Amino acid sequence: MNRREFIVFGGTAAVLASSKIALADKWPSKSVMVISAYPPGGTSDIVARLVADLLTAKFGQQFVIANVAGAAGALAGGKLARSAPDGYTILVSGSAPIAANKVVQANLAYDPQVDFTPITVVAESPALLTASSNAPAKSLQELISYAKANPGKVNIGNPGAGTKGHICAAIISLQTGVEINHIPYKGSPPLLADLLGGHIDFAIDAPSNYLPHIKGGKIHGVAVTSAKRIGEIPEVQTVAEQGLDGYNQALWFGAVGPKGMSPEIVTAIHQAIKEWSDTPAAKEKLTSLGLTPVVNSPEEMRGSIEREIESIRPLVEAGLVQPS
């Protein structure tokens, strides 16, 4: 490259860099779509709405929720993958469409590790195993004993195939050798309704929707999947405390954009979520939902996605999670 070519190349690079900065400076100049992968009312949707509200307050433009429910989050993931990477469409969801679907859905129309730009994990929580009022077991050991005595009769509902509830139940099955029928629902609200109505005996899901009903005595808390108990229901033991040593499964909720999203816009969204999560009001709100704020960097979130995918592969290989 001669001196003249170098000057031209350098000038072009400077123009491109300045145009990116200008783009980020002007963003957002209109409303932004925040895709929620599940129906209204579930924890994933609640987190999406919290993020939409905080970004609206931060940037002065409307961040509008679009519920794109179906296919265990795959419809929402596909919509994001087809979106322009201009910062006007993001997805806020539990980990299924952002990670797990890669290995639990046989004909997924997108690759979350290729077609998404990680922004940040927003929060995490344990999953909560619950039982209806007339379920045949009220503790994990009772459930395991019942499953051994009644092969094929234990049905555990989850808010969708590939969700953390599904994965947590499959790991319990792997570690105990008991047979569990996984019953996927279209989100948390219909799962909770069937549990309350006694139409299904057990459910594993994010805790937020279930806490009031456990406190009210309408359903039973059976086990918490993380290493620590939930402060709102301290009487409910962890899975590890009930005999499965080392069991520790958390579920997380994160924000991603389409492939090729501007790093400047990614940084702006990440920083806004981080600032919000550090406030006492945010921590209080998340705690009331059984959640803990966990805001990591985009690169760290890329690692979260990879670890989630790789942790599920052995379950698929063992036939405990069947790609649909």
Side-chain angles (χ1 to χ4, degrees):
M1 184 181 291
N2 60 38
R3 183 173 182 275
R4 184 172 183 278
E5 289 172 329
F6 180 79
I7 292 172
V8 171
F9 176 80
T12 302
V15 169
L16 290 173
S18 65
S19 66
K20 279 188 175 182
I21 293 170
L23 174 65
D25 285 345
K26 290 190 294 184
W27 176 91
S29 59
K30 60 181 181 179
S31 63
V32 177
M33 178 187 294
V34 179
I35 299 172
S36 174
Y38 296 95
T43 304
S44 181
D45 185 67
I46 291 170
V47 173
R49 291 174 188 276
L50 287 173
V51 171
D53 288 347
L54 77 90
L55 294 177
T56 295
K58 173 69 175 180
F59 295 110
Q61 290 285 353
Q62 289 295 315
F63 283 70
V64 181
I65 289 289
N67 289 97
V68 184
L75 295 184
K79 183 175 180 63
L80 181 72
R82 296 188 300 271
S83 300
D86 55 7
Y88 289 95
T89 307
I90 63 173
L91 167 68
V92 179
S93 172
S95 61
I98 300 174
N101 282 355
K102 180 168 181 173
V103 285
V104 302
Q105 296 210 15
N107 298 300
L108 194 65
Y110 65 93
D111 184 337
Q113 291 182 287
V114 174
D115 297 323
F116 294 165
T117 298
I119 299 174
T120 187
V121 171
V122 178
E124 69 177 20
S125 82
L128 180 62
L129 173 60
T130 53
S132 69
S133 59
N134 57 358
K138 301 298 188 292
S139 72
L140 183 60
Q141 286 303 324
E142 288 178 359
L143 189 156
I144 293 168
S145 296
Y146 178 82
K148 289 178 177 178
N150 300 272
K153 292 189 177 181
V154 173
N155 298 324
I156 300 184
N158 61 66
T163 59
K164 198 65 177 186
H166 181 186
I167 302 308
C168 286
I171 295 172
I172 291 172
S173 178
L174 179 66
Q175 292 188 358
T176 61
V178 301
E179 183 180 351
I180 291 173
N181 300 318
H182 306 283
I183 312 298
Y185 280 73
K186 294 181 179 179
S188 298
L191 171 57
L192 176 59
D194 268 9
L195 189 72
L196 288 168
H199 304 300
I200 191 166
D201 288 331
F202 304 100
I204 299 188
D205 198 355
S208 60
N209 291 13
Y210 299 79
L211 295 177
H213 301 291
I214 292 173
K215 293 176 181 178
K218 295 180 180 178
I219 57 176
H220 300 275
V222 175
V224 175
T225 66
S226 62
K228 296 181 179 180
R229 301 188 190 188
I230 298 173
E232 297 287 302
I233 44 171
E235 71 281 4
V236 180
Q237 294 182 318
T238 69
V239 172
E241 287 176 321
Q242 297 185 63
L244 274 66
D245 291 342
Y247 188 104
N248 183 12
Q249 294 292 320
L251 56 88
W252 52 265
F253 305 86
V256 293
K259 176 183 178 180
M261 191 170 168
S262 161
E264 290 79 13
I265 295 175
V266 169
T267 298
I269 295 174
H270 174 272
Q271 188 59 37
I273 294 173
K274 180 71 170 71
E275 290 174 358
W276 171 81
S277 72
D278 287 338
T279 64
K283 292 176 180 177
E284 181 179 353
K285 177 63 177 176
L286 291 171
T287 298
S288 73
L289 297 169
L291 300 170
T292 302
V294 180
V295 178
N296 58 8
S297 71
E299 193 55 37
E300 288 169 338
M301 186 190 189
R302 191 179 300 279
S304 299
I305 293 169
E306 181 178 359
R307 286 190 297 274
E308 183 84 356
I309 291 169
E310 293 309 313
S311 72
I312 297 169
R313 288 192 193 279
L315 300 174
V316 175
E317 292 167 359
L320 294 171
V321 174
Q322 299 287 344
S324 57

